Amino acid sequence: MAQPATRNLGRLSEIAQVAVRHGFGYWFDTHRLTDLFPRRGPRIEVDGQPSQRGQHLREMLDELGPTFVKFGQLLSTRPDVLPPDIIAELRGLQDDVRPFPLGDVENVIEEDLGLSVDKLFAEFDPRPIAAASIGQVHRATLPNGRRVAVKVQRPGAPRQIEADLALLYQAARIAKERVRALDFIDAHQLVDEFGRSIRQELDYRLEARNADAFHHNFAGHPHVRVPRVFWSYTRSRVLTLEWIDGTQVADLDPDAWSLEERRDIAYLMTETWMTMIFRHGFFHGDPHPANILVLGRGEQIGLVDFGAVGKLTDDDMSKLTRLFIDAAAENVDALPRRLGELGVRYPKEREEEFLGELREMYYRYYGASLAEIDPLQVIREAFQLIYSMNLRLPTRFLLLDKAIATLGSVGVDLYPDFNVFEVARPYARSLLIERFRPHRIAARARKESLRLGAMALELPYQLHDTLEQVRDGQIEVGFVHKGLEDLLNRMDVVFNRLVVAMIVAGGLIGSSLIGIFAKAGPHLLGINVISVIGFALSGLLGVWLLWGVVRSGRL
């Protein structure tokens, strides 16, 4: 059992060496971790400067390998964890690795599909057209002549990913125990989130179901094409999709495409993602230029790579629509409330500051063309606001944020003069009109009526359960009086003074009686000593009581 732990510690030490080489030695010194990770080799110092640390972190993750690249991609969607300058750099991480040999490809296909490549496909291109950390894609032809794209999982990928996840969990434990600066992060939960995400990518059947859903949603659409899934050629490690012959947006030659054509493509891409988000509630989470194909002369686009998708409920879509409409209509004052409805949390005492920051940022860019805007600067400013205001973003919207940011960057590269509000305004108007169509109102009324009816039916049972709990003593009712504290304090003072006054009066009366009737015992100036002591103590108490009353200002 000691061998895996030793191997993990060795890998962690190797990771530390890479971190030191990329300038993060100061971090290990600051948090006293050098006993775990002894230094060797050359060392660069960046001293945590914002201008350098993001770049060096991106380069470090690139060197550490595919799993860490994917972890960096996850961190790029977490502005509540990392500062904006690092987020902006991590957006540039690309999942691009060396392909694995054809022999391994054939073995995986035969193990999963039960037949050799020669028997399954009429043609199979031995050269991959794309390679990533988990798998690579080959072009092929089915026996019926249909051209397909075959995605094959890298041999040993699950084992490597599980080993790297074990390292990340160990690093998370060390961070929790020894790095106080990271107390605001639940590192274990962060690794859990990453683990769930990357394990889902290991099962290609999930990606196939995603592709099937997009294919169904855009069936018959004149301008969007999604490949169909060939289920008989698809298993957990092999995914076979219809081949779409087009040009990646990343490979478009600006000289071969007119400005008007590129403008139309940018509009079509934007409208496609708006349709996914606001109408389907199911959107492609990674719209980078390699995943969007231009077909023909730009009258149609194709979508590929469906591993990362986002899902929104009907309620989410309704709230997003209201936010979108208010943004397009310049109703900035409503934006904090709309964001609150979506689950964005911020300190209530800073609500005015939040609104002011939103208003300033909104009007700085409203109506400007993307040629006048640095998209990375916009992303940095938005993340700076999230980071500085200590906003908490719902997890389900983090992928949406990443998708929109990526789409914005693609739009800049494709058509610099594209103005997002030219698309947003008519789209918001159509959404608003559609929400108030009679059949939509009737559908909402029917849905709400059913909900209210169900609540009415449940009410007697809930009342019965509540009364039973009261009878059994399971419910305790307490009353909290607000505003009575001052009154109680004053009454306390009054009663204390009354008690002291009674003691003074009693002392004076008792001392007088002793002075009159006591004949025996020691006397002072003809008065019994006990009587003199009683008068003195009563006098002191009386003077103290009178001074307290005079000092309070209430005689």
Side-chain angles (χ1 to χ4, degrees):
M1 294 297 291
Q3 188 177 358
T6 304
R7 192 162 55 241
N8 280 354
L9 189 59
R11 174 65 169 150
L12 281 175
S13 181
E14 178 190 341
I15 291 169
Q17 304 311 313
V18 174
V20 170
R21 280 204 307 275
H22 285 279
F24 292 97
Y26 74 93
W27 198 83
F28 293 105
D29 291 335
T30 301
H31 300 290
R32 297 185 176 90
L33 296 174
T34 51
D35 60 314
L36 292 174
F37 310 120
R39 283 195 212 98
R40 290 187 295 273
R43 171 175 175 157
I44 303 170
E45 289 298 345
V46 296
D47 296 328
Q49 293 300 317
S51 59
Q52 299 180 41
R53 59 187 182 180
Q55 175 189 346
H56 283 274
L57 178 60
R58 175 174 55 77
E59 292 169 353
M60 182 189 83
L61 293 173
D62 257 331
E63 184 176 338
L64 287 173
T67 306
F68 291 89
V69 167
K70 285 194 169 291
F71 189 60
Q73 290 171 344
L74 168 71
L75 291 176
S76 73
T77 67
R78 297 300 301 267
D80 54 332
V81 170
L82 293 178
D85 61 291
I86 293 180
I87 291 284
E89 280 289 341
L90 293 184
R91 293 276 191 191
L93 280 170
Q94 293 299 320
D95 188 14
D96 190 17
V97 298
R98 239 181 309 175
F100 55 93
L102 178 63
D104 291 337
V105 172
E106 292 174 337
N107 290 337
V108 171
I109 291 176
E110 187 168 353
E111 287 172 8
D112 260 33
L113 298 180
L115 292 172
S116 66
V117 170
D118 293 339
K119 293 180 180 178
L120 288 167
F121 303 99
E123 294 179 11
F124 192 89
D125 190 342
R127 294 169 302 177
I129 58 174
S133 57
I134 293 180
Q136 63 190 36
V137 181
H138 290 259
R139 189 172 0 201
T141 305
L142 297 180
N144 62 4
R146 297 294 297 270
R147 297 171 66 199
V148 294
V150 183
K151 188 174 182 179
V152 184
Q153 191 172 107
R154 188 177 292 272
R159 184 174 61 253
Q160 181 61 49
I161 286 170
E162 291 300 330
D164 287 337
L165 284 175
L167 288 174
L168 288 172
Y169 277 116
Q170 190 170 351
R173 180 182 57 79
I174 292 172
K176 182 177 180 180
E177 291 174 355
R178 306 185 63 166
V179 185
R180 298 278 69 84
L182 297 179
D183 281 347
F184 74 101
I185 300 172
D186 189 338
H188 192 278
Q189 185 183 39
L190 194 63
V191 178
D192 272 342
E193 180 185 339
F194 173 63
R196 282 194 301 271
S197 171
I198 199 167
R199 284 179 181 124
Q200 285 180 353
E201 291 189 41
L202 288 171
D203 189 349
Y204 284 170
R205 291 169 297 187
L206 294 176
E207 183 175 346
R209 284 195 284 271
N210 294 336
D212 232 12
F214 283 115
H215 183 78
H216 173 75
N217 289 342
F218 285 101
H221 196 289
H223 303 298
V224 181
R225 187 174 167 192
V226 178
R228 60 169 289 201
V229 179
F230 291 92
W231 284 102
S232 57
Y233 288 81
T234 296
R235 296 291 185 274
S236 62
R237 295 189 297 163
V238 180
L239 170 63
T240 305
L241 297 171
E242 175 187 6
W243 176 263
I244 295 181
D245 201 0
T247 305
Q248 293 180 354
V249 169
D251 296 334
L252 287 181
D253 183 1
D255 297 329
W257 294 79
S258 69
L259 200 62
E260 190 69 22
E261 287 174 326
R262 285 185 278 131
R263 174 185 179 276
D264 291 342
I265 295 170
Y267 271 66
L268 179 54
M269 285 167 42
T270 306
E271 289 173 356
T272 300
W273 257 263
M274 286 185 176
T275 300
M276 291 181 197
I277 295 166
F278 293 105
R279 298 195 189 279
H280 302 159
F282 187 72
F283 61 92
H284 194 300
D286 193 13
H288 70 71
N291 290 338
I292 305 172
L293 306 177
V294 179
L295 313 183
R297 290 305 299 177
E299 65 275 0
Q300 198 175 40
I301 62 171
L303 308 180
V304 296
D305 194 352
F306 309 99
V309 299
K311 299 176 184 177
L312 301 171
T313 65
D314 288 339
D315 191 45
D316 289 335
M317 286 190 289
S318 179
K319 291 172 180 176
L320 273 172
T321 301
R322 288 197 291 269
L323 172 67
F324 185 65
I325 290 170
D326 282 332
E330 298 186 66
N331 188 11
V332 186
D333 290 349
L335 295 184
R337 184 171 72 254
R338 298 301 184 208
L339 290 169
E341 290 173 357
L342 286 169
V344 176
R345 295 289 174 260
Y346 54 90
K348 284 297 180 185
E349 63 273 11
R350 301 181 67 183
E351 185 167 358
E352 286 300 319
E353 179 187 352
F354 182 40
L355 178 58
E357 294 281 355
L358 273 177
R359 188 182 289 114
E360 180 183 348
M361 186 174 177
Y362 184 88
Y363 286 116
R364 190 182 307 140
Y365 297 107
Y366 182 85
S369 70
L370 291 183
E372 303 168 326
I373 299 172
D374 176 3
L376 291 179
Q377 180 61 28
V378 177
I379 293 170
R380 288 189 191 101
E381 288 186 21
F383 288 160
Q384 184 63 58
L385 177 60
I386 292 169
Y387 200 72
S388 63
M389 291 290 301
N390 195 26
L391 302 183
R392 291 290 178 264
L393 304 179
T395 304
R396 65 187 182 280
F397 293 120
L398 294 173
L399 188 62
L400 176 61
D401 162 72
K402 178 190 175 185
I404 291 174
T406 305
L407 193 64
S409 297
V410 174
V412 169
D413 295 334
L414 189 64
Y415 179 65
D417 292 329
F418 174 67
N419 188 323
V420 68
F421 286 98
E422 291 180 21
V423 179
R425 275 180 168 161
Y427 204 88
R429 192 179 302 114
S430 67
L431 284 172
L432 188 60
I433 291 171
E434 187 175 339
R435 283 180 57 81
F436 289 99
R437 288 184 185 277
H439 72 277
R440 290 291 299 273
I441 295 174
R444 285 201 300 271
R446 183 170 62 252
K447 182 179 177 182
E448 291 300 319
S449 298
L450 290 173
R451 286 180 59 191
L452 291 172
M455 289 170 61
L457 289 174
E458 288 290 327
L459 184 60
Y461 299 102
Q462 292 175 349
L463 182 61
H464 177 263
D465 291 343
T466 302
L467 291 175
E468 280 196 334
Q469 289 175 350
V470 172
R471 183 196 63 189
D472 296 339
Q474 297 177 8
I475 295 179
E476 296 182 359
V477 180
F479 294 94
V480 177
H481 298 279
K482 294 184 177 180
L484 296 180
E485 290 82 2
D486 290 342
L487 176 61
L488 293 174
N489 288 336
R490 290 174 185 174
M491 291 181 64
D492 192 38
V493 171
V494 168
F495 280 114
N496 287 341
R497 288 177 178 175
L498 183 60
V499 169
V500 173
M502 292 175 65
I503 291 173
V504 170
L508 291 173
I509 293 171
S511 299
S512 300
L513 291 175
I514 291 172
I516 294 172
F517 295 106
K519 303 299 182 183
H523 284 66
L524 180 65
L525 300 177
I527 303 173
N528 191 283
V529 172
I530 296 176
S531 178
V532 171
I533 294 172
F535 276 121
L537 291 175
S538 298
L540 287 173
L541 281 174
V543 170
W544 177 70
L545 177 61
L546 181 62
W547 172 247
V549 172
V550 171
R551 191 175 57 179
S552 70
R554 293 187 178 92
L555 293 175

